[in-house]
Amino acid sequence: MVVTLVTRDAARLEFPCASGQDVLGAAEAAGLYPPAMCHEGSCGMCQARVVEGAYEMGPHTESAMPAGPGGVLLCRCLPQGDVTIELPCTDAQVGRHKIPVREAEIEAMAQAGAGAVALTLRLRPDAELGLAVDFIPGQYMELTILGTETRRAYSLANLPNWEGRLDFIIRLQPGGAFSSWLGERAAVGDVLNVRGPLGHFVLDESSPRPRCLVGGGCGMAPLLSMLRHMADFQDSQPVHLIYGANREDELLPAEELDALRAALPQLGVTLSVWRPGPGWTGFSGTSADALDAYLATAAETPDIYVCGPPRMMEAVMSTAQRRGVPEAQIFAERVQS
Amino acid sequence: MFCFQCEQTSRVDGVAGCASAKGVCGKDETTADLQDVLIHLLKGIGQYSTRLHQLGQPDNAADSFIMYGLFTTLTNVNFNRAVFMELIPEAARIRDRLRAAYEAAAAKAGQTAAQLSGPAQFQPADNLAGLLAQAQIASVRHGVEIVGEDVIGLRALILYGLKGVAAYAHHAEVLGQANEEIYAGIAHALDFLAGEPVDVAAMLDEAMALGRLNYTVMQTLDAANTGNFGAPAPTEVLTTPVAGKAILVSGHDLRDLHNILEATKDKGINVYTHGEMLPAHGYPKLHAYPHLAGNYGGAWQNQQSEFAAFPGPIVMTSNCLIEPQPSYRNRIFTAGPVGWPGIRHIKNDDYSQVVQAAQAMPGFTEAAPEKKVLVGFGHETLMGAAGAVVDAVKSGAIKHFFVIGGCDGAAPGRNYYTDFADHAPKDAMVLTLGCGKYRFNTHDFGTIGGLPRLLDVGQCNDTYSALQIALALAKTFECGVNDLPLSLIVSWFEQKAAAVLLTLLALGVRNVRLGPSLPAFLTPALLGVLVEKFGVQPITTADADISAALNRQAA
C-alpha cells in the first residue's frame, strides 16, 4: 500500500505502508516525522484528514479526533489500501532525518594501542550547521578520502560538541585501502568528506535496567562515547564494561578508563585478554567468556550493548541468549574487520 | 502507573487515565511511579513541617524542597528517572531530619510529640525494583475500592491544585519572595492529604483554602516579578527573526531568562522568548537588554517543528517540555525542575555551554519582514487606564469583558478559543493570559474606547492581574465581580490551571467556562458540586457560550 501525505503547502510525500501498520509508523520508517507526541491515539497532535482511500481507526481517545469526514489520528490510522491524507501543517514542519555531508581536516593522529590510530578531525564551518557536531553517542560517520571512492564507516568516540571535533579509534587493517592511506600517507591538514551521523546503536535511556557494554577491537569507540555521555550527564544507571583484546598491548591506554571510573563511580570494568602474556592479572579469555562470567552472577538481567568484529559479536550474542537475555535487550553494532 | 492529572490524559474507550507503559505526555511508567513515591514522601515532610510551623520552629529549607519536588512532578516538567532516584532518598533524609527537629521542639515546649503514621513512617527502598514495588501505596488511586471514586477525585483535585501552587511559589522563591503563610500553607495541604481524608465537606474546604493560598502565591509572584524587573508596560514584541546568532528561552522562569540575558551580554547573540516567556518583554528591566530580540514560535505543543527549525540552542526553564526530537536533542537544555533523560541540564546558572552552542551555530542568516504583537498589560498599566475603561463602559463603547485565559494544547477542541476570541462582539474587550493566547494573538482586534481591544495580561499566574482589574471595576461600579459584564473562559491543561481555578472558586467568581474537556479526576458527583455551588460550566460552542454570557449579563 502507498500512503500520500499532502501538506498545507501542497507538497506530496509518498511512502509505503504495510498491512496492519499505522500511517505515523510508516512515515517515521520512511524518515518523515509529522508533528506527533503520544503515539497512542490520545493527544490529538497528529490529526489529519483522509481524502481518498479506505482505512480503519485503532483504539483512541474520542476528544482527540478532528471533527468532520475523514478526520483521523495518524498514529491510529490503519490504511486498507492506498490512501491520500491531508496534513494540517506545512512541508517544513514535517521533520526529516537529514544526513549532512561536510568537510573535515585531520587535526591529529596518534597511536591508540597496538595497531590502532586515534584520529581527530575538525569540521569546517557549515552555513546551516555552523560548527555543531550533532549525533547520539553510539552513532557513526562515513569518511571518504577526497578525490577517491575509498569510504569507511567509523563510530565516534567523543561527545556531541560545538567545536567541530570528531574523534575516532581506527584499527589498521593490513592491506586495507583506508588503513594504508591512514597509516602511510595521511597527514595533519588533509581533508576528508564526512557523512553522518548514521546508525541506530544508541543507549535506550528510557530502560530502567542496568547496562552491560561489551567491546572488542575497535568496538570500544562507540562504547567510550556512551560512557562519556553517561559521565557528562551524571547518569546513575548501573553500568559494567567488558573490554576484550587479543593481547594486552591492544588495550587502550589505562588513563582513558581511569578518567571514566572517576566520573562514573558505579562503573564496573572487566578487561579480558584472550592470549595474555605472563604477569596478566585480569580476566583471561574472550569477551564472550567474560560476559558469561558476568551474567552468571548478575542480580538483574542487563541491557547488553555489544560492538566489535563479526566473530566476537556472534560469540557474545550466543552467550547472551544462552544466559536468557531477551533479544529486545541486546543492542549490537558490527565494526568492519 | 496511573495518572490523570492533565487535560490530555488518555480516554480510550471511555476509560480515563494513563495506565500503560507510557503516558500521553511521554512520561514512562518507571518515572511516573517514582514521582508517586516522591510525593508520598513529601507528604511525610509536610506532616512534620506543619507541626514545626505550629511550634514556631519552621524548617524553610525543607519547605523549599517540597515546592521544588512537587514542581518536578507537574505535566511536561521532568521525565528523567535518574532525578527521582536522587530526590527520593533526599526526601527521606529531610523527612527524618524534620522528625527529629519536631520531637526536640515538642519536648522543649513541654509537649509530647505526636506519633505520626502513614508517609511520616514510610521507608523507601534503596533500589529501583524495590521502589517500584512500593509505588502502589503512593498511587493517587490507592484505596479507591474502600473510599470510592468521589473521595479519590477530591484528593486528586487538592493534590493537583497544590502542585500548581508549589510551582508558582517556587518561581517566586527563586526571585527572593517567600513567606511563612506560603510555606505553612503548602505543608498543611500535604499534611491534610497524608491523613487520607474521606470527608467531602472537609476536602472542599481544604480545596477552597488552597485556592485562597494560591491567590497569595500569585500575588507574591507578581511582587517578585515586578519587584525585580519593574511593572509590565505595553511593549511591542517582534515575532519575526533578526539576522544573527540566537538562543531560544521557553518556560515561565523570568529569573532564568534574566541570567541568560546577562550571560549573553555583548556577545553578539540574540535571545528569543518562546511560549509562556512572551510576556517577559513587557518587564522594563528585561526589555532594556537590547539583545532580547523577540519572540519565536507559538504555544508548547508546536515545539517539535519549531525547535527543529530554530538555528541555535534552546533552554527550557519550566514546563512544557515534550520529547525532544533527534534533530535538536543536542542543542536543547533543561534548567531548574525540568529534565529529560539524555538532555543536558544546566546547573548553578552556568550557561557557558549554551553560549558556546549559540556561537557555533549559524543563527538566523537574514531578518524576516517584521511582524509584532503587543504585550504588557499587567494590573499597573490597566489601573492607569482604569479611567478610560470606566468611561468607555459608561458611554457604552465597552459592553462586555471576556477573559480568555489558560493553557494551549493539541486537542482539536481547542479551536473553540480561537472562535471565541474572533466571534466576540466588537464592543467586548478581550483580556488574555497563559499560552492559550497564541491561538488568536496575531489577529487584528482593533481598538475600543481608545485602547487595544485585545489586552495581553501576561502568563497564567497573571490571573492575579486580571483579578485586580475585575476587583477595581467592581469597586468603581459598586457591585460584586459576578455582577460585572465580565466572563471568564478558562482553558486548562496542567496543574497550575487547576490552582487558578480553585482561586477563582474560592474568591466566589461564578460562571467560569471550563474546557476544552473537564478534568478526568472530577467524577459526575464532584462536577455536580462545582456546577451547583460555584456555577462552573463546561464549554459548548463558542457562539452559544458568547451569547449565553451576553444574555446572562442582560438578564
Side-chain angles (χ1 to χ4, degrees):
Chain A
M1 292 179 284
V2 175
V3 175
T4 307
L5 298 181
V6 183
T7 64
R8 228 169 48 200
D9 47 351
R12 297 175 74 84
L13 313 169
E14 277 189 13
F15 50 88
C17 182
S19 173
Q21 189 177 27
D22 61 76
V23 173
L24 187 61
E28 291 180 350
L32 296 168
Y33 295 79
M37 180 165 43
C38 78
H39 291 70
E40 288 183 2
S42 287
C43 74
M45 188 92 95
C46 63
Q47 53 182 287
R49 189 169 306 286
V50 176
V51 290
E52 202 180 326
Y55 64 94
E56 284 177 8
M57 281 296 294
H60 60 273
T61 297
E62 205 47 51
S63 63
M65 283 279 278
V72 293
L73 300 169
L74 296 178
C75 69
R76 286 296 195 240
C77 175
L78 306 167
Q80 306 297 306
D82 292 356
V83 290
T84 303
I85 303 174
E86 283 178 2
L87 293 183
C89 64
T90 60
D91 185 41
Q93 289 170 314
V94 178
R96 285 163 172 91
H97 263 315
K98 276 192 267 179
I99 301 170
V101 180
R102 304 169 66 177
E103 287 190 347
E105 271 180 32
I106 296 182
E107 184 169 278
M109 290 184 292
Q111 192 168 346
V117 170
L119 174 69
T120 300
L121 302 182
R122 186 75 60 174
L123 288 175
R124 289 179 167 171
D126 175 273
E128 194 185 331
L129 301 164
L131 280 172
V133 176
D134 203 355
F135 66 98
I136 304 171
Q139 287 191 301
Y140 65 86
M141 295 282 189
E142 251 176 29
L143 308 185
T144 308
I145 304 167
L146 273 196
T148 74
E149 294 296 310
T150 304
R151 179 177 305 155
R152 291 290 183 277
Y154 296 108
S155 297
L156 288 151
N158 63 330
L159 290 176
N161 60 77
W162 297 279
E163 301 159 0
R165 183 181 169 124
L166 307 167
D167 284 349
F168 303 91
I169 301 168
I170 298 175
R171 180 155 298 273
L172 298 177
Q173 303 297 332
F178 197 94
S179 291
S180 314
W181 174 80
L182 188 61
E184 295 158 21
R185 299 192 295 283
V188 168
D190 282 358
V191 176
L192 291 159
N193 257 336
V194 177
R195 178 172 174 268
L198 296 160
H200 303 285
F201 182 62
V202 297
L203 291 173
D204 176 4
E205 290 182 282
S206 65
S207 161
R209 289 177 286 271
R211 298 172 184 143
C212 180
L213 279 49
V214 188
C218 283
M220 262 310 280
L223 305 184
L224 271 179
S225 181
M226 289 173 175
L227 289 170
R228 286 171 173 158
H229 169 82
M230 286 183 68
D232 207 33
F233 284 74
Q234 294 165 36
D235 187 334
S236 58
Q237 199 80 349
V239 58
H240 191 90
L241 172 70
I242 294 171
Y243 175 21
N246 291 332
R247 303 189 317 265
E248 294 107 295
D249 65 358
E250 290 174 5
L251 293 170
L252 282 181
E255 48 269 30
E256 295 279 2
L257 285 178
D258 291 344
L260 282 171
R261 278 202 192 94
L264 283 172
Q266 81 273 32
L267 175 66
V269 178
T270 306
L271 296 179
S272 68
V273 177
W274 184 35
R275 287 180 178 156
W280 172 249
T281 54
F283 187 90
S284 298
T286 65
S287 30
D289 298 334
L291 176 65
D292 195 50
Y294 173 72
L295 289 177
T297 58
E300 195 181 342
T301 307
D303 291 335
I304 294 181
Y305 296 84
V306 53
C307 183
R311 262 190 304 179
M312 170 262 186
M313 301 272 293
E314 279 160 31
V316 165
M317 308 268 264
S318 81
T319 299
Q321 277 156 9
R322 201 177 63 247
R323 285 282 177 189
V325 181
E327 206 170 315
Q329 281 176 238
I330 304 176
F331 304 81
E333 181 88 315
R334 213 171 285 270
V335 296
Q336 291 163 350
S337 58
Chain B
M1 166 179 184
F2 181 84
C3 182
F4 56 178
Q5 67 175 352
C6 78
E7 195 269 340
Q8 68 177 2
T9 194
S10 174
R11 295 171 208 247
V12 175
D13 296 331
V15 181
C18 291
S20 58
K22 202 176 87 177
V24 172
C25 64
K27 195 174 286 174
D28 65 39
E29 187 172 23
T30 304
T31 309
D33 285 352
L34 291 176
Q35 292 190 354
D36 285 348
V37 173
L38 173 64
I39 289 169
H40 198 62
L41 280 160
L42 295 178
K43 289 178 190 171
I45 300 177
Q47 288 175 283
Y48 289 113
S49 175
T50 296
R51 282 152 186 86
L52 283 166
H53 278 282
Q54 286 161 354
L55 288 164
Q57 303 280 325
D59 183 329
N60 289 341
D63 295 325
S64 291
F65 178 82
I66 288 177
M67 292 177 342
Y68 176 80
L70 285 171
F71 198 169
T72 62
T73 71
L74 255 72
T75 302
N76 290 346
V77 174
N78 205 312
F79 302 77
N80 193 351
R81 170 176 19 89
V83 166
F84 297 96
M85 289 302 288
E86 287 172 18
L87 285 178
I88 286 170
E90 190 179 352
R93 281 194 299 275
I94 292 172
R95 192 258 330 257
D96 294 348
R97 180 180 88 213
L98 263 64
R99 183 194 295 130
Y102 163 59
E103 285 166 1
K108 206 171 167 192
Q111 299 175 7
T112 312
Q115 291 303 305
L116 302 178
S117 59
Q121 302 299 335
F122 173 73
Q123 287 308 325
D126 64 359
N127 61 75
L128 180 63
L131 287 169
L132 295 180
Q134 290 176 322
Q136 194 52 39
I137 194 178
S139 165
V140 279
R141 283 182 69 74
H142 182 64
V144 64
E145 61 287 347
I146 300 162
V147 299
E149 297 286 352
D150 291 342
V151 166
I152 294 297
L154 255 179
R155 287 180 190 168
L157 175 65
I158 295 168
L159 174 62
Y160 298 155
L162 179 64
K163 288 188 182 192
V165 173
Y168 287 148
H170 174 80
H171 282 304
E173 193 191 39
V174 296
L175 283 170
Q177 290 275 346
N179 61 53
E180 283 305 303
E181 182 190 353
I182 295 171
Y183 286 140
I186 290 173
H188 169 80
L190 284 166
D191 180 45
F192 179 80
L193 289 171
E196 301 196 338
V198 292
D199 184 282
V200 169
M203 284 192 278
L204 280 173
D205 286 348
E206 186 67 26
M208 291 307 103
L210 200 54
R212 288 189 294 276
L213 177 66
N214 190 53
Y215 181 80
T216 304
V217 170
M218 291 194 296
Q219 183 177 39
T220 307
L221 179 52
D222 179 76
N225 287 339
T226 55
N228 280 280
F229 307 118
T235 307
E236 282 196 313
V237 182
L238 205 57
T239 57
T240 46
V242 294
K245 307 279 184 190
I247 291 176
L248 187 61
V249 186
S250 187
H252 300 72
D253 201 304
L254 298 185
R255 177 183 167 275
D256 287 342
L257 175 66
H258 176 256
N259 287 342
I260 291 167
L261 288 166
E262 276 294 313
T264 48
K265 219 169 163 178
D266 304 324
K267 289 202 162 71
I269 299 169
N270 293 316
V271 175
Y272 295 82
T273 55
H274 175 265
E276 272 282 71
M277 205 56 96
L278 166 62
H281 293 271
Y283 289 87
K285 287 186 185 167
L286 297 172
H287 181 64
Y289 288 91
H291 60 302
L292 181 59
N295 189 69
Y296 172 89
W300 65 273
Q301 72 276 6
N302 301 325
Q303 66 186 249
Q304 289 178 329
S305 48
E306 289 171 356
F307 288 0
F310 188 80
I314 302 142
V315 182
M316 296 296 305
T317 68
S318 73
N319 54 319
C320 282
L321 172 67
I322 55 182
E323 182 171 1
Q325 298 277 24
S327 64
Y328 60 88
R329 267 179 76 117
N330 283 323
R331 56 182 167 89
I332 184 167
F333 298 77
T334 60
V338 195
W340 190 286
I343 297 301
R344 213 170 283 275
H345 189 76
I346 289 155
K347 287 195 171 155
N348 306 319
D349 298 321
D350 178 2
Y351 293 99
S352 53
Q353 280 191 315
V354 182
V355 170
Q356 192 192 24
Q359 284 167 336
M361 291 194 60
F364 290 103
T365 49
E366 55 184 355
E370 280 193 7
K371 286 182 195 163
K372 287 178 174 175
V373 294
L374 189 58
V375 303
F377 291 89
H379 56 88
E380 190 150 317
T381 296
L382 284 170
M383 295 302 184
V389 172
V390 169
D391 289 347
V393 173
K394 284 181 176 163
S395 75
I398 299 176
K399 290 209 167 60
H400 203 89
F401 297 89
F402 288 110
V403 179
I404 308 176
C407 320
D408 204 0
R414 289 183 185 268
N415 287 333
Y416 168 92
Y417 298 97
T418 323
D419 294 344
F420 202 111
D422 286 349
H423 297 183
K426 298 284 175 260
D427 53 9
M429 181 168 252
V430 178
L431 283 75
T432 189
L433 48 88
C435 67
K437 72 179 71 133
Y438 281 104
R439 289 190 172 259
F440 49 80
N441 72 342
T442 54
H443 299 189
D444 182 11
F445 283 81
T447 57
I448 187 167
L451 293 162
R453 219 184 111 233
L454 176 73
L455 299 178
D456 186 344
V457 180
Q459 297 180 333
C460 53
N461 49 287
D462 293 312
T463 304
Y464 173 75
S465 272
L467 283 167
Q468 294 313 298
I469 296 153
L471 292 170
L473 285 174
K475 198 173 166 197
T476 305
F477 291 105
E478 294 176 341
C479 64
V481 168
N482 291 318
D483 305 317
L484 289 171
L486 168 83
S487 308
L488 285 109
I489 317 299
V490 175
S491 57
W492 86 285
F493 173 72
E494 40 85 320
Q495 298 73 45
K496 286 184 280 183
V500 168
L501 178 67
L502 290 180
T503 299
L504 295 176
L505 303 186
L507 295 181
V509 177
R510 293 183 63 85
N511 302 308
V512 173
R513 284 277 179 191
L514 184 61
S517 67
L518 296 171
F521 47 87
L522 293 181
T523 60
L526 295 174
L527 278 176
V529 172
L530 291 191
V531 171
E532 187 198 344
K533 256 187 108 158
F534 304 101
V536 171
Q537 304 176 68
I539 64 169
T540 63
T541 66
D543 292 331
D545 292 355
I546 291 170
S547 136
L550 298 174
N551 286 332
R552 175 179 67 79
Q553 185 234 331

